[in-house]
Amino acid sequence: MSVATKTDKIQRLAELTATKETSTGASLWREAFRRLKSSKMAIIGAVIIAVFVVIAVVGPYLTPYAPTAQTWRGEVFPNQGKFVGPRGENWFGLDHLGRDMFSRMLVGARQTLLVGVVSTLIGLVAGFLIGGLSGAAATLGGEAGKRVDSVIMRFIDMMLALPSLLLAVSVAAVMGQSLTTVMIAVGVVQVPVFARLLRGSMLAQGGADYVLAAQSLGVRKRRIVTSQIIPNSLSPVIVQATLSLATAIIEAAALSYLGLGNPDPAIPEWGVMLAQAQRFFDNAPMMAVYPAVGIIITALGFTLLGEAMREALDPKLRG
């Protein structure tokens, strides 16, 4: 995807809030929530996310066995291609070290959720600061502010020009192998998207009547930005955060699969489990299927909810 295409999609999402509020004058989120309640896509996504979050929070306390205990090590012989599949005491079977796969999946859900949420928060906070500064400079900063905005946006465009996974791999390779590295690397990838989105939303709000009224009353520019423009520009950013959670989970799994994740293979995480299972796929494919399906379904849930929220905000998509 080219930089222009990425930028156009981000700019379109940024304009949704301003379009909706100026066309009806009604509460944006009240109407969006009403449409979400009747959207099958939103309901399915929300159910998937709710189940995933419950498993991630409660699951580690419900594991039948310790996820790192090699209790059945004597029953598994990877070199001979002998593995133990699902059975009464091990619902998902055993991995190559004789550990209970069901327990590892439950604990791994928490690690996966942690990586997705923290990395998205890193991208959101950094993108908010950069995009807010750029949007404020472009909206009320005069000629000097526009120059500042131009410099910041060229830097953001350079980040957008790089494929997201390549950028994440580069950051992870520089910082070294760890779970923290994965969070930071995936978060860095999200920064330009949030920055562009918030800046575009602020520009869309900059010409609104309430901004002109505040300026005519002599309200300070800083107060206009912080108390009026930014709060009214956050709707598309929240939508993007939901979509970014799906991307973050997939990219974190990809980094773990490439060997850039947590160096301790004993700690269950779905991406690490998938990487460990690739050597034994011919004889024990389910070792890879379980974490892969978990990643796919979780990412699908966030994607469905995010797309439903985007459509609820977009009058053109609602047709």
Side-chain angles (χ1 to χ4, degrees):
M1 185 182 294
S2 65
V3 181
T5 303
K6 287 183 180 179
T7 304
D8 289 343
K9 292 181 69 175
I10 294 172
Q11 187 65 28
R12 173 59 188 152
L13 182 57
E15 293 172 352
L16 298 184
T17 304
T19 301
K20 180 62 182 172
E21 287 181 341
T22 55
S23 62
T24 66
S27 171
L28 173 70
W29 283 103
R30 185 181 298 115
E31 293 192 14
F33 182 70
R34 178 172 57 83
R35 293 183 175 89
L36 284 174
K37 290 192 297 183
S38 60
S39 170
K40 292 182 179 180
M41 183 166 62
I43 294 173
I44 294 174
V47 170
I48 292 174
I49 293 172
V51 171
F52 171 62
V53 171
V54 170
I55 292 175
V57 174
V58 182
Y61 302 103
L62 302 178
T63 54
Y65 309 102
T68 59
Q70 301 179 20
T71 307
W72 297 273
R73 184 67 181 88
E75 300 182 30
V76 179
F77 300 94
N79 294 334
Q80 302 176 20
K82 296 181 179 179
F83 293 87
V84 176
R87 60 186 183 181
E89 54 185 328
N90 307 110
W91 293 356
F92 287 179
L94 305 176
D95 70 356
H96 62 292
L97 295 178
R99 298 174 296 193
D100 182 58
M101 282 291 295
F102 180 71
S103 300
R104 292 181 64 78
M105 283 293 295
L106 291 178
V107 176
R110 173 176 291 187
Q111 294 294 320
T112 301
L113 177 63
L114 178 65
V115 171
V117 171
V118 173
S119 59
T120 300
L121 286 176
I122 291 173
L124 178 61
V125 172
F128 179 87
L129 295 175
I130 296 173
L133 174 62
S134 182
T139 304
L140 300 175
E143 291 300 322
K146 291 180 180 179
R147 286 194 291 270
V148 172
D149 171 62
S150 180
V151 171
I152 295 176
M153 285 301 105
R154 298 299 75 77
F155 173 73
I156 293 298
D157 288 342
M158 287 190 294
M159 294 183 68
L160 285 172
L162 294 173
S164 58
L165 184 57
L166 177 60
L167 179 58
V169 169
S170 300
V171 174
V174 170
M175 296 186 62
Q177 188 181 14
S178 70
L179 187 62
T180 302
T181 293
V182 171
M183 295 177 184
I184 295 175
V186 176
V188 168
V189 172
Q190 308 289 348
V191 170
V193 177
F194 285 116
R196 261 284 182 185
L197 187 56
L198 179 59
R199 180 253 188 187
S201 185
M202 291 178 67
L203 290 181
Q205 293 287 338
D209 292 340
Y210 69 86
V211 175
L212 299 178
Q215 287 180 297
S216 66
L217 292 174
V219 180
R220 297 177 61 182
K221 294 181 178 180
R222 180 183 301 177
R223 182 173 179 80
I224 295 175
V225 170
T226 57
S227 64
Q228 299 294 330
I229 296 179
I230 288 181
N232 286 306
S233 302
L234 292 179
S235 297
V237 178
I238 296 173
V239 174
Q240 182 59 39
T242 305
L243 292 170
S244 294
L245 276 167
T247 304
I249 289 173
I250 294 175
E251 290 179 344
L255 292 178
S256 296
Y257 184 81
L258 294 174
L260 296 172
N262 195 333
D264 185 0
I267 299 178
E269 193 270 324
W270 288 352
V272 175
M273 292 172 64
L274 187 60
Q276 293 174 342
Q278 64 176 329
R279 295 179 295 161
F280 313 107
F281 189 79
D282 291 339
N283 297 311
M286 296 309 293
M287 281 180 57
V289 170
Y290 293 137
V293 170
I295 292 170
I296 292 171
I297 292 178
T298 302
L300 177 65
F302 284 110
T303 301
L304 289 176
L305 181 60
E307 286 295 327
M309 292 172 65
R310 184 174 64 87
E311 291 184 8
L313 289 167
D314 193 342
K316 290 185 177 181
L317 292 178
R318 291 198 304 271

